[in-house]
Amino acid sequence: MSIVIIRQDEKIDLWKNALSTANSDIKIYSYLEDHPVDEIEVAMVWKHPKGSLKPYKNLKYIASGGAGVDFIFEDPDFPKDIPITRVVDDMLASDMSEYVIGAIFSYLKNFNSHKINQINSQWNPTGYRRITDFKVGILGLGTLGQALAKDLVRFGFKTQGWSNTKKVLPQVNSFAGPLELDAFLATSEIVICLLPLTPKTKGILNTTLFEKLPMGAYVINVARGGHLVDEDLIKMIDKGHVSGACLDVFHEEPLPENHPFWQHKKIHITPHCASVSDTQSVVPQILENYKRMKAGKELLHLVSFKSGY
Ligand code: NDP
Ligand code: OXD
C-alpha cells in the first residue's frame, strides 16, 4: 500500500501531507527518503529526473501530477508496460481559462504598453480594442481548451478551435486535423496554444504557422515551450506580422537569464503558473485511482500511448 512522489521542485511535502491526511492507510514516500522500493505500487511524478522510475519493479501505474505527460514520454527509461494517468480537473480548467482571458483583456486594453509608459513617466492614451473586434482560435479543444472556449463564448468572443477530432460545442466553430488547420489559422486573430506536446505538435508554433495567421495576430502559449520555435516568434513580431505574445511555458524553465524574451517589449512572460494542480481538488482523484487499481477496475484519466496524450 505505497505511493512514491517523484518531483524536483519544493512541493514533495505538500503532496505527501495532502495525500497522507486524506488517507492514512496508504504509505506515501518522497523518492528522496529511505523507502521500501519493492512495495511501491504507484509513482506520482512531475518532471521527475530521467531514469528515476527504474528501481520500482512492482509499479502498477504512473500518475502524472499535472495535465501534461510529455515529460514522462521524454524519459527513455519509464516503464512501458503499465498505464499512465493524468490530471483532469475542473479547477485546473477554470484556472487556465481565467489566466488566458486575463491575458486577452490585457492585450485588448494595452496594459503592457501602459505599464512600460508608466515606468518611463509617459502619458500616452492609445486606442484600445473590444471583444467584438476579434475572433479567438484555440489550438487544442481538449479538457482545458473546451473550458476556455465556453468562457470565451460567455464573454461574447467569436470563438473557434482546432483538434484531432471534430467537436460539437455551442457557438464554437470546430476545425479538425491537418487539412483544416489553414482555414482555422486564417481567421484566428488571437491564437492560443493548448495542445499537448507530442512528436506531432512539437515546434508547431513556427514561421509557417505564424504566416498563415491574419496580419497583427496575437499569440498566447500556455501549453509547453516545445510547441514554440522561439526565434521564429521574435522574427515575426519584429516584422510586424505578429503583434505580440503572452508566454507561460518555455523550452528551459526557469527561462535562462540571457533569453531575449525577458527584454522583448511585445512579449509578456509568466513563470509557468497559468494553472497549477491544486492538492485539494487533485488528491481525491489520485486516491480514487488508487482504490480502482486495488479493486482491479479501469483507471480514470488514462493516457493513450499511441497518441502520446
Ligand atoms: P487534452 O488531452 O484534454 O486536450 C488536448 C487537445 O489537443 C485535444 O483536443 C486533442 O484533440 C488536441 N490535439 C492533440 N494532438 C493534436 C494534433 N496533432 N492535431 C490537432 N489537435 C491535437 O489536454 P488538456 O486540455 O488537459 O491539456 C492541454 C495541455 O495544456 C497539457 O498537455 C499541458 O501541456 C498544458 N498545460 C499547461 C499548464 C500551464 O500552467 N501552463 C497547466 C495545465 C496544462 P482530440 O480532442 O481530438 O483528441
Ligand atoms: C500541467 C502543467 O501539465 O502544470 O498540469 O503544466
Side-chain angles (χ1 to χ4, degrees):
M1 298 278 277
S2 309
I3 298 178
V4 67
I5 302 173
I6 314 180
R7 50 193 303 152
Q8 298 179 81
D9 59 12
E10 73 297 343
K11 290 190 181 169
I12 292 189
D13 285 344
L14 176 78
W15 284 96
K16 196 176 153 181
N17 293 338
L19 286 160
S20 310
T21 306
N23 187 333
S24 55
D25 294 337
I26 306 174
K27 292 202 184 78
I28 316 289
Y29 296 101
S30 156
Y31 79 115
L32 295 172
E33 68 186 314
D34 265 350
H35 59 287
V37 168
D38 290 343
E39 278 177 27
I40 301 294
E41 296 170 292
V42 181
M44 187 182 171
V45 295
W46 178 248
K47 297 187 180 175
H48 61 286
K50 289 192 176 74
S52 59
L53 287 165
K54 261 196 341 198
Y56 303 101
K57 302 295 179 211
N58 295 318
L59 278 187
K60 303 290 187 295
Y61 68 96
I62 302 168
S64 168
V69 291
D70 44 291
F71 64 94
I72 299 175
F73 286 104
E74 280 164 13
D75 174 0
D77 292 320
F78 85 89
K80 317 285 187 297
D81 52 349
I82 54 171
I84 299 175
T85 64
R86 69 187 194 97
V87 172
V88 175
D89 175 46
D90 286 348
M91 191 183 285
L92 197 71
S94 62
D95 286 356
M96 178 58 82
S97 185
E98 287 176 17
Y99 173 99
V100 173
I101 286 168
I104 292 175
F105 280 120
S106 166
Y107 168 62
L108 297 189
K109 305 303 170 193
N110 304 309
F111 285 164
N112 293 342
S113 54
H114 288 314
K115 184 71 205 171
I116 295 169
N117 290 340
Q118 180 186 344
I119 290 164
N120 296 316
S121 307
Q122 278 175 357
W123 184 266
N124 186 9
T126 45
Y128 52 82
R129 284 138 307 179
R130 300 185 175 86
I131 289 173
T132 46
D133 293 342
F134 286 93
K135 192 173 268 180
V136 182
I138 308 167
L139 290 160
L141 267 187
T143 309
L144 304 183
Q146 289 191 28
L148 172 63
K150 226 160 96 184
D151 285 344
L152 288 169
V153 167
R154 202 156 47 84
F155 272 104
F157 285 100
K158 289 167 258 165
T159 305
Q160 55 190 18
W162 180 71
S163 44
N164 262 324
T165 51
K166 268 249 193 293
K167 310 291 175 207
V168 182
L169 298 168
Q171 297 178 65
V172 177
N173 205 1
S174 163
F175 295 79
L179 293 179
E180 296 188 6
L181 179 59
D182 287 6
F184 163 84
L185 294 172
T187 47
S188 294
E189 285 135 336
I190 296 176
V191 71
I192 298 136
C193 182
L194 268 172
L195 290 164
L197 186 63
T198 68
K200 284 194 182 151
T201 64
K202 190 172 175 211
I204 190 170
L205 302 175
N206 58 26
T207 302
T208 310
L209 179 143
F210 294 140
E211 277 172 344
K212 291 174 181 163
L213 294 169
M215 185 73 175
Y218 189 71
V219 174
I220 300 177
N221 186 21
V222 276
R224 285 292 180 265
H227 288 117
L228 176 67
V229 181
D230 295 0
E231 49 283 11
D232 288 7
L233 175 68
I234 291 177
K235 196 175 68 192
M236 293 305 278
I237 292 179
D238 292 349
K239 259 171 91 172
H241 190 85
V242 169
S243 60
C246 173
L247 310 173
D248 182 55
V249 285
F250 305 92
H251 285 269
E252 193 183 334
E253 295 178 358
L255 185 65
E257 232 173 86
N258 59 352
H259 196 288
F261 287 165
W262 283 111
Q263 303 303 334
H264 202 294
K265 286 197 167 68
K266 293 186 175 168
I267 296 177
H268 186 73
I269 65 171
T270 53
H272 199 147
C273 58
S275 174
V276 178
S277 292
D278 181 88
T279 49
Q280 223 183 329
S281 59
V282 172
V283 159
Q285 63 180 262
I286 300 289
L287 295 177
E288 169 62 23
N289 261 347
Y290 191 87
K291 220 165 72 191
R292 283 169 172 256
M293 178 270 289
K294 283 301 213 189
K297 289 190 186 157
E298 192 180 359
L299 302 177
L300 302 174
H301 316 317
L302 283 167
V303 170
S304 152
F305 276 63
K306 189 160 169 253
S307 60
Y309 69 94

CSV table of all heavy atoms in Angstrom, one decimal, residues 7-34:
chain,number,residue,atom,x,y,z
A,7,ARG,N,9.4,14.3,-7.8
A,7,ARG,CA,9.4,15.7,-8.4
A,7,ARG,C,10.6,16.4,-7.9
A,7,ARG,O,11.1,16.2,-6.8
A,7,ARG,CB,8.1,16.4,-8.2
A,7,ARG,CG,7.6,16.5,-6.8
A,7,ARG,CD,6.1,17.0,-6.7
A,7,ARG,NE,5.9,18.3,-7.4
A,7,ARG,CZ,4.8,18.7,-8.0
A,7,ARG,NH1,3.7,17.9,-7.9
A,7,ARG,NH2,4.7,19.9,-8.5
A,8,GLN,N,11.1,17.4,-8.7
A,8,GLN,CA,12.3,18.1,-8.3
A,8,GLN,C,12.1,19.5,-7.8
A,8,GLN,O,13.0,20.2,-7.5
A,8,GLN,CB,13.2,18.1,-9.6
A,8,GLN,CG,13.6,16.7,-10.1
A,8,GLN,CD,14.5,16.8,-11.3
A,8,GLN,OE1,15.7,17.0,-11.2
A,8,GLN,NE2,13.9,16.7,-12.5
A,9,ASP,N,10.8,19.8,-7.6
A,9,ASP,CA,10.5,21.2,-7.0
A,9,ASP,C,10.4,21.0,-5.5
A,9,ASP,O,10.6,20.0,-4.9
A,9,ASP,CB,9.3,21.8,-7.7
A,9,ASP,CG,8.1,21.0,-7.6
A,9,ASP,OD1,8.1,20.0,-6.8
A,9,ASP,OD2,7.1,21.3,-8.2
A,10,GLU,N,9.9,22.1,-4.9
A,10,GLU,CA,9.8,22.1,-3.4
A,10,GLU,C,8.4,21.6,-2.9
A,10,GLU,O,8.1,21.8,-1.8
A,10,GLU,CB,10.1,23.6,-2.9
A,10,GLU,CG,9.0,24.6,-3.2
A,10,GLU,CD,8.6,24.9,-4.7
A,10,GLU,OE1,9.4,24.5,-5.6
A,10,GLU,OE2,7.5,25.4,-4.9
A,11,LYS,N,7.7,20.9,-3.8
A,11,LYS,CA,6.3,20.6,-3.4
A,11,LYS,C,6.1,19.1,-3.0
A,11,LYS,O,5.0,18.7,-2.8
A,11,LYS,CB,5.4,20.9,-4.6
A,11,LYS,CG,5.2,22.4,-4.9
A,11,LYS,CD,4.1,22.6,-5.8
A,11,LYS,CE,3.9,24.1,-6.1
A,11,LYS,NZ,3.0,24.3,-7.3
A,12,ILE,N,7.2,18.4,-2.8
A,12,ILE,CA,7.0,17.0,-2.4
A,12,ILE,C,6.3,16.9,-1.0
A,12,ILE,O,5.3,16.1,-0.9
A,12,ILE,CB,8.4,16.3,-2.2
A,12,ILE,CG1,9.0,16.1,-3.6
A,12,ILE,CG2,8.2,14.9,-1.6
A,12,ILE,CD1,10.2,15.2,-3.7
A,13,ASP,N,6.6,17.7,0.0
A,13,ASP,CA,6.0,17.6,1.3
A,13,ASP,C,4.5,18.0,1.2
A,13,ASP,O,3.7,17.4,1.9
A,13,ASP,CB,6.7,18.5,2.3
A,13,ASP,CG,8.0,17.8,2.7
A,13,ASP,OD1,8.2,16.6,2.5
A,13,ASP,OD2,8.9,18.5,3.3
A,14,LEU,N,4.3,19.0,0.4
A,14,LEU,CA,2.9,19.5,0.2
A,14,LEU,C,2.0,18.3,-0.2
A,14,LEU,O,0.9,18.0,0.4
A,14,LEU,CB,2.8,20.6,-0.8
A,14,LEU,CG,1.5,21.1,-1.2
A,14,LEU,CD1,1.0,22.1,-0.1
A,14,LEU,CD2,1.5,21.9,-2.5
A,15,TRP,N,2.4,17.6,-1.2
A,15,TRP,CA,1.6,16.5,-1.8
A,15,TRP,C,1.6,15.3,-0.8
A,15,TRP,O,0.6,14.6,-0.6
A,15,TRP,CB,2.2,16.1,-3.2
A,15,TRP,CG,1.7,17.0,-4.2
A,15,TRP,CD1,2.4,18.1,-4.7
A,15,TRP,CD2,0.4,17.1,-4.8
A,15,TRP,NE1,1.7,18.8,-5.6
A,15,TRP,CE2,0.4,18.2,-5.7
A,15,TRP,CE3,-0.7,16.3,-4.8
A,15,TRP,CZ2,-0.7,18.6,-6.5
A,15,TRP,CZ3,-1.8,16.7,-5.5
A,15,TRP,CH2,-1.8,17.8,-6.4
A,16,LYS,N,2.8,15.1,-0.2
A,16,LYS,CA,2.9,13.9,0.8
A,16,LYS,C,1.9,14.2,1.9
A,16,LYS,O,1.1,13.3,2.3
A,16,LYS,CB,4.3,13.9,1.3
A,16,LYS,CG,4.7,12.6,2.0
A,16,LYS,CD,6.1,12.6,2.4
A,16,LYS,CE,6.2,11.6,3.6
A,16,LYS,NZ,7.6,11.5,4.1
A,17,ASN,N,1.9,15.4,2.5
A,17,ASN,CA,1.0,15.7,3.6
A,17,ASN,C,-0.5,15.6,3.1
A,17,ASN,O,-1.3,15.1,3.9
A,17,ASN,CB,1.3,17.0,4.2
A,17,ASN,CG,2.6,17.1,4.8
A,17,ASN,OD1,3.2,16.0,5.2
A,17,ASN,ND2,3.2,18.2,4.9
A,18,ALA,N,-0.8,16.2,2.0
A,18,ALA,CA,-2.2,16.2,1.5
A,18,ALA,C,-2.7,14.8,1.3
A,18,ALA,O,-3.8,14.4,1.7
A,18,ALA,CB,-2.3,17.0,0.2
A,19,LEU,N,-1.9,13.9,0.7
A,19,LEU,CA,-2.3,12.5,0.4
A,19,LEU,C,-2.4,11.7,1.8
A,19,LEU,O,-3.4,11.0,2.0
A,19,LEU,CB,-1.3,11.8,-0.5
A,19,LEU,CG,-1.4,12.2,-2.0
A,19,LEU,CD1,-0.1,11.8,-2.7
A,19,LEU,CD2,-2.6,11.6,-2.7
A,20,SER,N,-1.4,11.9,2.6
A,20,SER,CA,-1.5,11.2,3.9
A,20,SER,C,-2.7,11.6,4.8
A,20,SER,O,-3.3,10.8,5.4
A,20,SER,CB,-0.2,11.4,4.8
A,20,SER,OG,0.9,11.2,4.0
A,21,THR,N,-3.0,12.9,4.8
A,21,THR,CA,-4.1,13.4,5.6
A,21,THR,C,-5.4,12.8,5.0
A,21,THR,O,-6.3,12.5,5.8
A,21,THR,CB,-4.1,15.0,5.5
A,21,THR,OG1,-2.8,15.4,5.9
A,21,THR,CG2,-5.2,15.6,6.4
A,22,ALA,N,-5.5,12.7,3.7
A,22,ALA,CA,-6.7,12.3,3.1
A,22,ALA,C,-6.9,10.8,3.3
A,22,ALA,O,-8.0,10.3,3.3
A,22,ALA,CB,-6.8,12.6,1.6
A,23,ASN,N,-5.8,10.0,3.3
A,23,ASN,CA,-5.9,8.6,3.6
A,23,ASN,C,-4.7,8.1,4.3
A,23,ASN,O,-3.6,7.8,3.7
A,23,ASN,CB,-6.1,7.8,2.2
A,23,ASN,CG,-6.4,6.3,2.5
A,23,ASN,OD1,-6.0,5.8,3.5
A,23,ASN,ND2,-7.1,5.7,1.5
A,24,SER,N,-4.8,7.8,5.6
A,24,SER,CA,-3.7,7.5,6.4
A,24,SER,C,-3.3,6.0,6.3
A,24,SER,O,-2.3,5.5,6.8
A,24,SER,CB,-3.9,7.8,7.9
A,24,SER,OG,-5.1,7.2,8.3
A,25,ASP,N,-4.1,5.2,5.6
A,25,ASP,CA,-3.8,3.8,5.4
A,25,ASP,C,-2.8,3.6,4.3
A,25,ASP,O,-2.1,2.5,4.2
A,25,ASP,CB,-5.1,3.0,4.9
A,25,ASP,CG,-6.1,3.0,6.1
A,25,ASP,OD1,-5.7,3.2,7.2
A,25,ASP,OD2,-7.3,2.8,5.8
A,26,ILE,N,-2.6,4.6,3.4
A,26,ILE,CA,-1.7,4.4,2.3
A,26,ILE,C,-0.4,5.1,2.7
A,26,ILE,O,-0.4,6.2,3.2
A,26,ILE,CB,-2.2,5.0,1.0
A,26,ILE,CG1,-3.6,4.5,0.6
A,26,ILE,CG2,-1.2,4.8,-0.1
A,26,ILE,CD1,-4.2,5.2,-0.5
A,27,LYS,N,0.7,4.4,2.5
A,27,LYS,CA,2.0,5.0,2.9
A,27,LYS,C,2.5,5.8,1.7
A,27,LYS,O,2.6,5.3,0.6
A,27,LYS,CB,3.1,3.9,3.2
A,27,LYS,CG,2.8,3.1,4.5
A,27,LYS,CD,4.1,2.4,5.0
A,27,LYS,CE,3.8,1.6,6.2
A,27,LYS,NZ,3.2,0.3,5.8
A,28,ILE,N,2.9,7.0,2.0
A,28,ILE,CA,3.3,8.0,1.0
A,28,ILE,C,4.8,8.3,1.3
A,28,ILE,O,5.1,8.7,2.4
A,28,ILE,CB,2.5,9.3,1.0
A,28,ILE,CG1,1.0,9.0,1.2
A,28,ILE,CG2,2.8,10.1,-0.2
A,28,ILE,CD1,0.3,8.4,0.0
A,29,TYR,N,5.6,8.2,0.3
A,29,TYR,CA,7.0,8.4,0.4
A,29,TYR,C,7.5,9.5,-0.6
A,29,TYR,O,7.0,9.6,-1.7
A,29,TYR,CB,7.9,7.2,0.2
A,29,TYR,CG,7.6,6.1,1.2
A,29,TYR,CD1,6.8,5.0,0.8
A,29,TYR,CD2,8.2,6.1,2.5
A,29,TYR,CE1,6.6,4.0,1.7
A,29,TYR,CE2,7.9,5.1,3.4
A,29,TYR,CZ,7.1,4.0,3.0
A,29,TYR,OH,6.9,3.0,3.9
A,30,SER,N,8.5,10.2,-0.1
A,30,SER,CA,9.3,11.0,-1.1
A,30,SER,C,10.3,10.1,-1.7
A,30,SER,O,10.9,9.3,-0.9
A,30,SER,CB,9.9,12.2,-0.4
A,30,SER,OG,11.1,12.6,-1.1
A,31,TYR,N,10.7,10.3,-3.0
A,31,TYR,CA,11.7,9.4,-3.5
A,31,TYR,C,13.1,9.7,-2.9
A,31,TYR,O,14.0,9.0,-3.1
A,31,TYR,CB,11.7,9.6,-5.0
A,31,TYR,CG,12.4,10.8,-5.6
A,31,TYR,CD1,13.6,10.7,-6.4
A,31,TYR,CD2,11.9,12.1,-5.4
A,31,TYR,CE1,14.2,11.8,-6.9
A,31,TYR,CE2,12.6,13.2,-5.9
A,31,TYR,CZ,13.7,13.0,-6.6
A,31,TYR,OH,14.3,14.1,-7.2
A,32,LEU,N,13.2,10.9,-2.2
A,32,LEU,CA,14.4,11.3,-1.6
A,32,LEU,C,14.7,10.6,-0.2
A,32,LEU,O,15.8,10.7,0.3
A,32,LEU,CB,14.5,12.8,-1.5
A,32,LEU,CG,14.4,13.6,-2.8
A,32,LEU,CD1,14.3,15.1,-2.6
A,32,LEU,CD2,15.7,13.3,-3.6
A,33,GLU,N,13.7,10.1,0.4
A,33,GLU,CA,13.9,9.5,1.7
A,33,GLU,C,14.0,7.9,1.5
A,33,GLU,O,13.7,7.4,0.5
A,33,GLU,CB,12.7,9.8,2.6
A,33,GLU,CG,11.4,9.1,2.2
A,33,GLU,CD,10.2,9.6,3.0
A,33,GLU,OE1,10.3,9.6,4.3
A,33,GLU,OE2,9.1,9.9,2.4
A,34,ASP,N,14.5,7.3,2.6
A,34,ASP,CA,14.6,5.8,2.6
A,34,ASP,C,13.2,5.3,2.5
A,34,ASP,O,12.3,5.7,3.2
A,34,ASP,CB,15.2,5.4,4.0
A,34,ASP,CG,16.7,5.2,3.9
A,34,ASP,OD1,17.2,5.2,2.7
A,34,ASP,OD2,17.3,5.0,4.9
